[in-house]
Amino acid sequence: MTASASVSAPTLDVVAIGNAIVDVLARSDDAFLAEHALTKGGMQLIDADMAEALYADMPQAKEISGGSAANTLAGLAALGKTCGFIGQVNDDQLGTVFAHDVRALGIRFDTPAMTGDVPTARCLILVTPDAQRTMNTFLGASQFLPEAALDLDMIRSAGILYLEGYLWDPQQPRAAIDAARGAGRKVAFTLSDNFVIDRHRADFLDLIDHGQIDILFSNEGEIQSLAQIDDFDKAVATMAAKVPVLVSTRSENGAVAIVDGMRYEAPAAPVAQIIDTTGAGDLFAAGFLAAHIDGRSVADCLALGAAAAAEVISHWGARPEDDLGVIRDRLFA
């Protein structure tokens, strides 16, 4: 949206609200998943007791800051975009790690850490030899983002408000959408996971039906779940009629975008070896949004999304390690 007398120019590119989570990653095998009754490739919410028990049984692990929306901001910041994050951590070791990692990327993060017995959220991720990740998330402090921490001025200052479906239980995202749309900004939303859609389908559809979402991100299974249609093309067509921009990733089969009724497709970017698929969708969204902010074509948006996703699945963790700016420049040379 262009600036006008009633809509000021944004001072940030993207502000995201999401779960502030530290990922705890370990290599595993299918037998370990079966032993602990974990659904391979899925994400489940766990309580503090299960988090403690599963962590105790996990093989040697590596701690890396994560969280879906924060991962996307990490990719955007690496691509030169100015970003802000709103999310809750505890004043504990993992909370300090998360805050340091986010701020070190140049992302504005002003949410005060909470004190008390509720620890910073963590996601225990088991990565099997086929690079599938099975996520077990203890939401901890991330569930207790107070209304006072919702920086509406920062939200209004950003060209795009980015929200993750994972953080839909609290009421805050609704207030954020109102603030962003009231300031004439765009709202981007990622569906996050099928179990999230199952819990909040009516809410998500209500937002979409009332024109509150400008850019909708999903993967193949999520868009079918949202539309409750088993056929991918029919599900995409159904939901694309309701949003200006719909993007759906299809793993090794690339991605589809429908923008103002026009369909575009792009292949997956080549990867020498897939190590860990954690964060693939998050980084795809980062690449797509970065190119979108730059005013590039839909084909370029899809290509940069695919390139960013390919980078993150080539190593452990959900934050980019190679220079995404170099990857972008090479892609668009």
Side-chain angles (χ1 to χ4, degrees):
M1 179 176 291
T2 57
S4 68
S6 59
V7 179
S8 61
T11 55
L12 292 172
D13 292 312
V14 181
V15 164
I17 304 174
N19 288 321
I21 296 176
V22 175
D23 292 338
V24 181
L25 296 106
R27 288 185 172 89
S28 179
D29 55 25
D30 290 345
F32 184 91
L33 302 184
E35 178 187 349
H36 292 81
L38 304 177
T39 301
K40 184 176 180 178
M43 199 287 267
Q44 67 170 338
L45 296 179
I46 59 176
D47 60 20
D49 290 341
M50 183 172 178
E52 184 175 339
L54 185 59
Y55 180 75
D57 286 351
M58 285 174 66
Q60 183 178 1
K62 182 178 182 180
E63 295 175 353
I64 308 173
S65 292
S68 177
N71 292 339
T72 296
L73 290 189
L76 282 161
L79 287 163
K81 303 309 169 195
T82 57
C83 303
F85 180 70
I86 299 171
Q88 188 65 62
V89 297
N90 192 304
D91 185 17
D92 56 16
Q93 181 180 357
L94 290 185
T96 300
V97 167
F98 182 91
H100 173 270
D101 288 352
V102 169
R103 292 171 181 148
L105 295 170
I107 296 168
R108 180 177 164 188
F109 178 43
D110 301 332
T111 311
M114 68 182 290
T115 57
D117 296 332
V118 183
T120 295
R122 71 285 315 270
C123 184
L124 309 181
I125 303 175
L126 288 309
V127 183
T128 42
D130 57 3
Q132 281 291 313
R133 81 282 186 273
T134 301
M135 300 186 292
N136 306 275
T137 304
F138 170 58
L139 290 173
S142 69
Q143 304 172 89
F144 298 99
L145 180 70
E147 188 171 351
L150 200 67
D151 190 337
L152 297 181
D153 286 338
M154 185 167 74
I155 290 166
R156 295 184 186 104
S157 76
I160 296 173
L161 170 66
Y162 184 80
L163 300 170
E164 60 177 67
Y166 284 133
L167 189 67
W168 199 254
D169 285 326
Q171 296 296 311
Q172 283 88 344
R174 296 167 174 83
I177 290 172
D178 290 342
R181 299 202 69 83
R185 311 307 190 193
K186 291 181 179 179
V187 177
F189 187 79
T190 179
L191 291 172
S192 295
D193 197 281
N194 284 359
F195 93 90
V196 174
I197 298 167
D198 288 341
R199 294 174 65 176
H200 302 294
R201 183 180 290 105
D203 270 355
F204 294 170
L205 290 174
D206 183 67
L207 284 176
I208 292 167
D209 289 341
H210 286 86
Q212 300 297 293
I213 304 300
D214 300 289
I215 305 171
L216 181 67
F217 288 100
S218 66
N219 65 26
E220 185 171 5
E222 290 161 3
I223 201 66
Q224 292 175 198
S225 175
L226 183 67
Q228 294 186 288
I229 297 173
D230 289 337
D231 182 273
F232 173 73
D233 289 324
K234 290 180 181 178
V236 164
T238 297
M239 299 313 303
K242 301 180 179 185
V243 293
V245 179
L246 183 146
V247 185
S248 191
T249 58
R250 309 187 75 184
S251 299
E252 69 275 11
N253 295 318
V256 171
I258 299 183
V259 180
D260 296 327
M262 292 287 293
R263 179 173 171 135
Y264 305 82
E265 297 190 32
V271 183
Q273 183 180 6
I274 299 175
I275 301 298
D276 171 19
T277 57
T278 308
D282 304 332
L283 269 294
F284 186 98
F288 188 98
L289 286 175
H292 177 79
I293 291 165
D294 288 341
R296 302 196 71 99
S297 67
V298 178
D300 283 352
C301 292
L302 287 169
L304 187 54
E311 189 284 330
V312 83
I313 66 176
S314 68
H315 58 75
W316 278 71
R319 302 282 174 90
E321 293 183 356
D322 292 341
D323 190 328
L324 293 187
V326 172
I327 292 172
R328 174 199 57 209
D329 294 346
R330 187 184 306 127
L331 183 67
F332 296 147

PDB file of all heavy atoms in Angstrom, residues 70 162 222:
ATOM      1  N   ALA A  70       9.668 -15.940  14.663  1.00  0.00           N
ATOM      2  CA  ALA A  70      11.023 -15.418  14.875  1.00  0.00           C
ATOM      3  C   ALA A  70      11.977 -15.959  13.816  1.00  0.00           C
ATOM      4  O   ALA A  70      12.886 -15.248  13.367  1.00  0.00           O
ATOM      5  CB  ALA A  70      11.506 -15.772  16.275  1.00  0.00           C
ATOM      6  N   TYR A 162       3.085  -9.829  10.708  1.00  0.00           N
ATOM      7  CA  TYR A 162       3.185 -11.255  10.416  1.00  0.00           C
ATOM      8  C   TYR A 162       2.789 -12.044  11.655  1.00  0.00           C
ATOM      9  O   TYR A 162       3.346 -11.840  12.737  1.00  0.00           O
ATOM     10  CB  TYR A 162       4.613 -11.602  10.008  1.00  0.00           C
ATOM     11  CG  TYR A 162       4.817 -13.038   9.580  1.00  0.00           C
ATOM     12  CD1 TYR A 162       4.469 -13.462   8.306  1.00  0.00           C
ATOM     13  CD2 TYR A 162       5.353 -13.977  10.459  1.00  0.00           C
ATOM     14  CE1 TYR A 162       4.658 -14.778   7.910  1.00  0.00           C
ATOM     15  CE2 TYR A 162       5.543 -15.290  10.078  1.00  0.00           C
ATOM     16  CZ  TYR A 162       5.194 -15.683   8.797  1.00  0.00           C
ATOM     17  OH  TYR A 162       5.383 -16.993   8.414  1.00  0.00           O
ATOM     18  N   GLU A 222      -1.899 -28.260   5.053  1.00  0.00           N
ATOM     19  CA  GLU A 222      -2.605 -27.223   5.813  1.00  0.00           C
ATOM     20  C   GLU A 222      -3.720 -26.576   5.000  1.00  0.00           C
ATOM     21  O   GLU A 222      -4.818 -26.333   5.523  1.00  0.00           O
ATOM     22  CB  GLU A 222      -1.612 -26.165   6.287  1.00  0.00           C
ATOM     23  CG  GLU A 222      -0.664 -26.669   7.362  1.00  0.00           C
ATOM     24  CD  GLU A 222       0.584 -25.818   7.502  1.00  0.00           C
ATOM     25  OE1 GLU A 222       0.711 -24.791   6.801  1.00  0.00           O
ATOM     26  OE2 GLU A 222       1.447 -26.200   8.313  1.00  0.00           O
TER      27      GLU A 222
END
